[in-house]
């Protein structure tokens, strides 16, 4: 422990010795300036992590034997309950999604937008929120969107099966007009069919209003990522948040069962981790990640990828994917990771996922470290889940509710659900979300596997690696450096992953009290 009193005394005596010598006025001035500059430097180093920056460089270099020698004998560092479970300091930030004073209420429009949402549950949710904003920009009436029935899950659910349709319409009535279906006289009318450009600006959609000269109905073939993440008017960004976090409430049967399952988890233990274990067959096939699988399983995934027409990339080097941090953590790796963070074996873990590839064969390594693992199938009765059978999006909505309400959320991969849950938890007050540094962890796991790293050093390394990856407030990340053109938008952090600062605010009074208290 650093003794701040003795350190201060040392600095004072050191300064005294410097100034007590007979020196020219210039030398004294130079010495004082040097001490002042050094103090400022120390101050900034000490305070630079007050707001979280989650872009952390890898802690280990496989070629650095000297670093390995220094860390090999470090003890395992335990953590208190508060450190393990408490949410990060949120600077009194809170949701702020009300329209500004200049925002005008919606007026009725006889121009209509129909939408075919694409993707899984959360891809559709964020896409629908974008379409709400697009309808506002284009001064159009939005027809209740059609949901994706052609994706991997082949879910036949309609909008009202998953979302509270009346609540959706009523909540947004001051923003846009929403109808359940087109007027009969327009059902056979010619439609403009558009694939809107991804990550487009308000100006792009204002230009699209020229379509109203020739058409009364505009059909949008895809809804995901149609709006830019940044540089949009504040009222449009807040409308996206109102749509996602308020209007798109799940249908009552989903909401009610989700709340029951959360209560049952709480009855088993006061706190729980929601682990989004992205280890389903489709994910492993799509990413080409086969680490830890037997040859027959790897071949099965390759064949699936070859036979899925809309997956463009067919040949994937699994080793390169994993080394780059592009693979989901395996169940075994997740178990090692959580133990290294300090969570005890008794920790209650809810698995928010579809069917885990390989079943118990691959889950065994996780269960051996954390036997207190539950799924929705073990929390709910068969009767309760009967209505959700063969409806993957409805089942995913249960996982979403349980993940939002968890004490800690840990995604094994940064997919659509992980990003949506993290953003929602930020919006609700920065509930703790631990985002694994997959690229850094691969280095650590490989060194552990090869015997280059001892388990006694693992805990401290992993904890240091993730000090600034626990969901604390920070501004949204921009595009990666060096990328030009529209490709840069793909590298930006999603608006829905981190809706700060447009939808999350703090009062000036609180900020000043924190600064001067």
């Amino acid at each position: 422990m650093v003794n701040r009193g003795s350190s201060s005394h040392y600095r004072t005596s050191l300064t005294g010795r410097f100034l007590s010598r007979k020196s020219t006025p210039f030398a004294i001035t130079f010495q004082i300036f040097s001490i002042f500059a050094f103090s400022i430097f120390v101050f900034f180093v000490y305070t630079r992590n007050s707001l979280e920056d989650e872009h952390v460089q890898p802690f280990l270099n496989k070629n650095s034997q000297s670093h390995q020698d220094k860390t090999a004998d470090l003890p395992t560092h335990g953590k208190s309950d508060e450190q393990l479970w408490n949410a990060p300091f949120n600077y009194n930030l809170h949701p702020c999604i009300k329209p500004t004073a200049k925002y005008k209420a919606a007026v009725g429009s006889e121009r209509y937008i129909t939408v075919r949402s694409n993707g899984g549950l959360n891809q559709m949710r964020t896409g629908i929120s974008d379409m709400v904003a697009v309808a506002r920009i284009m001064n159009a009436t939005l027809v209740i969107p059609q949901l994706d029935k052609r994706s991997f899950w082949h879910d036949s659910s309609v909008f009202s099966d998953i979302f509270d349709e009346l609540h959706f319409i009523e909540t947004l009535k001051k923003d846009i007009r929403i109808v359940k279906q087109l007027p009969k006289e327009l059902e056979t009318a010619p439609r403009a069919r558009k694939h809107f450009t991804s990550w487009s600006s308000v100006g792009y959609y204002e230009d699209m209003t020229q379509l109203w000269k020739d058409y009364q109905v505009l059909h949008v073939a895809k809804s995901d990522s149609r709006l830019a993440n940044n540089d949009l008017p504040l009222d449009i960004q807040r409308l996206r948040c109102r749509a996602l976090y308020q209007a798109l409430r799940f249908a009552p049967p989903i909401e009610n069962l989700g709340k029951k399952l959360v209560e049952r988890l709480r009855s088993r233990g006061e706190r729980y981790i929601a682990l989004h274990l992205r280890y389903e067959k489709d994910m492993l096939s799509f990413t080409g990640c086969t680490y830890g699988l037997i040859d027959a399983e790897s071949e099965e995934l390759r064949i699936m990828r070859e036979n899925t027409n809309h997956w463009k990339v067919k040949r994937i080097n699994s080793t390169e994917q994993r080394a780059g941090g592009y693979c989901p953590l395996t169940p075994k790796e997740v178990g090692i990771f959580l133990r290294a963070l300090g969570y005890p074996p008794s920790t209650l873990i809810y698995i928010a996922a579809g069917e885990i590839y390989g079943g118990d064969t691959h889950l065994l390594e996780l269960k051996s470290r954390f036997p207190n693992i539950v799924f929705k199938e073990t929390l709910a009765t068969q009767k309760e889940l009967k209505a959700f059978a063969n409806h993957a999006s409805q089942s995913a909505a249960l996982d979403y509710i349980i993940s939002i309400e968890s004490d800690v959320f840990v995604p094994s991969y940064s997919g659509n659900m992980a990003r949506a849950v993290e953003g929602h938890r930020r919006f609700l007050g920065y509930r703790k979300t631990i985002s694994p540094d997959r690229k850094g962890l691969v280095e650590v796991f490989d060194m552990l596997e090869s015997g280059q790293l001892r388990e006694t050093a693992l805990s401290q390394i992993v904890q240091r690696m993730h000090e600034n990856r626990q969901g604390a407030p920070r501004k949204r990340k921009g595009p990666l450096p060096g990328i030009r053109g529209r490709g840069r938008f793909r590298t930006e952090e999603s608006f829905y992953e981190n809706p700060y600062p447009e939808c999350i605010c703090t009062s000036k009074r609180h900020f000043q009290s924190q600064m001067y208290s």
Side-chain angles (χ1 to χ4, degrees):
M1 180 180 294
V2 177
N3 187 321
R4 295 186 182 276
S6 63
S7 176
S8 176
H9 174 74
Y10 175 77
R11 287 197 302 269
T12 304
S13 61
L14 180 64
T15 306
R17 288 199 300 271
F18 266 117
L19 298 179
S20 64
R21 297 174 183 173
K22 291 182 180 181
S23 305
T24 65
F26 173 79
I28 294 174
T29 302
F30 178 77
Q31 292 165 359
I32 293 174
F33 177 79
S34 299
I35 294 169
F36 176 75
F38 179 74
S39 300
I40 293 295
F41 170 76
V42 170
F43 172 79
F44 278 112
V45 169
Y46 182 76
T47 61
R48 63 178 178 167
N49 288 325
S50 61
L51 282 178
E52 183 178 22
D53 179 3
E54 297 186 357
H55 183 69
V56 182
Q57 298 296 325
F59 276 79
L60 293 175
N61 184 331
K62 291 182 180 180
N63 298 320
S64 176
Q65 184 61 43
S66 61
H67 180 82
Q68 164 62 25
D69 293 340
K70 292 177 183 178
T71 60
D73 295 315
L74 291 174
T76 300
H77 284 246
K79 282 192 172 185
S80 66
D81 276 0
E82 289 75 16
Q83 290 174 307
L84 290 173
W85 296 101
N86 284 6
F89 183 64
N90 65 11
Y91 298 86
N92 202 38
L93 293 168
H94 56 84
C96 53
I97 58 176
K98 290 183 179 180
T100 64
K102 64 181 181 180
Y103 191 78
K104 296 179 180 179
V107 294
S109 173
E110 294 307 315
R111 303 179 181 105
Y112 295 84
I113 292 179
T114 62
V115 179
R116 183 181 295 279
S117 299
N118 61 296
L121 173 68
N122 291 288
Q123 196 172 349
M124 290 192 291
R125 288 177 67 246
T126 55
I128 291 168
S129 300
D130 277 2
M131 288 299 106
V132 167
V134 168
R136 170 78 187 192
I137 296 168
M138 296 186 67
N139 190 27
T141 294
L142 179 67
V143 180
I144 289 291
Q146 303 170 40
L147 302 188
D148 191 337
K149 297 178 176 62
R150 298 177 297 182
S151 63
F152 173 80
W153 301 275
H154 299 292
D155 191 331
S156 61
S157 300
V158 297
F159 189 94
S160 58
D161 291 329
I162 300 178
F163 305 108
D164 188 332
E165 190 172 78
L166 292 178
H167 177 79
F168 179 68
I169 295 171
E170 184 68 18
T171 301
L172 296 171
K173 68 181 181 181
K174 293 183 179 180
D175 301 293
I176 61 169
R177 181 179 171 225
I178 303 174
V179 296
K180 293 184 179 182
Q181 55 192 13
L182 279 173
K184 288 187 177 180
E185 63 271 19
L186 291 178
E187 288 179 354
T188 58
R191 305 182 188 186
R193 299 181 181 273
K194 290 294 296 182
H195 282 77
F196 287 141
T197 301
S198 300
W199 302 293
S200 291
S201 66
V202 167
Y204 171 87
Y205 289 104
E206 289 174 342
D207 290 342
M208 288 293 112
T209 59
Q210 297 297 317
L211 293 168
W212 299 136
K213 294 179 180 179
D214 301 311
Y215 299 94
Q216 200 172 346
V217 181
L218 169 60
H219 179 68
V220 181
K222 282 189 173 184
S223 61
D224 66 319
S225 304
R226 299 302 111 175
L227 267 177
N229 293 308
N230 304 299
D231 301 322
L232 295 180
L234 179 60
D235 274 321
I236 293 298
Q237 296 288 55
R238 289 187 175 180
L239 174 56
R240 297 167 86 182
C241 289
R242 289 198 296 279
L244 187 64
Y245 302 131
Q246 289 187 342
L248 279 174
R249 187 170 70 187
F250 293 120
I254 296 174
E255 285 280 339
N256 294 337
L257 182 54
K259 290 175 182 177
K260 282 183 183 178
L261 299 186
V262 170
E263 290 172 2
R264 290 172 192 172
L265 278 166
R266 296 291 182 204
S267 69
R268 293 191 176 202
E270 293 183 0
R271 297 171 296 207
Y272 71 92
I273 292 174
L275 170 62
H276 184 43
L277 187 59
R278 204 64 174 92
Y279 207 71
E280 299 99 337
K281 183 178 181 180
D282 66 304
M283 171 54 65
L284 297 178
S285 177
F286 176 74
T287 57
C289 296
T290 60
Y291 176 77
L293 303 181
I294 61 175
D295 290 344
E297 291 172 325
S298 299
E299 180 63 12
E300 182 181 30
L301 297 179
R302 187 195 65 78
I303 293 172
M304 180 182 179
R305 186 167 60 253
E306 287 287 342
N307 294 336
T308 306
N309 294 330
H310 60 276
W311 291 351
K312 303 303 180 185
V313 181
K314 304 299 183 182
R315 293 187 178 183
I316 301 175
N317 185 314
S318 179
T319 302
E320 292 179 358
Q321 281 284 94
R322 181 171 177 269
Y326 303 120
C327 288
L329 298 181
T330 68
K332 176 182 178 180
E333 290 171 338
V334 170
I336 296 172
F337 172 62
L338 292 177
R339 288 292 291 124
L341 286 177
Y343 290 97
S346 60
T347 302
L348 178 61
I349 299 178
Y350 174 81
I351 303 294
E355 183 179 354
I356 301 302
Y357 187 57
D360 284 340
T361 301
H362 293 305
L363 280 172
L364 189 61
E365 292 278 9
L366 175 58
K367 287 182 175 180
S368 67
R369 292 173 172 83
F370 293 96
N372 202 9
I373 283 177
V374 293
F375 297 80
K376 67 176 81 62
E377 291 79 9
T378 55
L379 278 178
T381 65
Q382 288 185 348
K383 183 179 179 180
E384 288 172 326
L385 291 178
K386 184 177 180 180
F388 299 88
N390 301 317
H391 294 293
S393 292
Q394 294 183 47
S395 183
L398 293 175
D399 285 339
Y400 187 90
I401 292 171
I402 295 169
S403 296
I404 290 296
E405 295 300 325
S406 66
D407 298 277
V408 178
F409 176 66
V410 180
S412 67
Y413 185 76
S414 56
N416 290 310
M417 177 168 169
R419 290 192 290 268
V421 170
E422 180 172 359
H424 201 161
R425 289 172 68 86
R426 288 179 181 275
F427 178 77
L428 292 173
Y430 291 92
R431 298 174 180 179
K432 191 164 191 170
T433 300
I434 303 175
S435 302
D437 178 358
R438 296 189 304 278
K439 184 176 181 179
L441 285 172
V442 165
E443 291 189 53
V444 175
F445 294 151
D446 286 350
M447 294 177 74
L448 187 66
E449 187 78 18
S450 65
Q452 295 176 326
L453 178 70
R454 300 178 188 175
E455 287 200 24
T456 52
L458 179 66
S459 185
Q460 187 189 48
I461 293 169
V462 171
Q463 288 177 23
R464 285 181 56 216
M465 189 183 293
H466 292 84
E467 284 175 347
N468 296 326
R469 300 179 69 91
Q470 304 199 22
R474 59 167 176 77
K475 287 188 177 181
R476 202 161 49 251
K477 298 173 185 175
L480 294 177
I483 300 179
R484 298 181 179 181
R486 297 197 60 81
R488 70 187 187 279
F489 297 132
R490 187 178 295 276
T491 68
E492 291 177 337
E493 185 174 28
S494 166
F495 171 75
Y496 296 112
E497 184 176 359
N498 184 7
Y500 176 80
E502 296 93 340
C503 298
I504 303 173
C505 311
T506 187
S507 64
K508 290 184 179 179
R509 180 181 301 176
H510 173 79
F511 178 77
Q512 290 170 350
S513 68
Q514 292 294 314
M515 289 293 290
Y516 300 109
S517 61

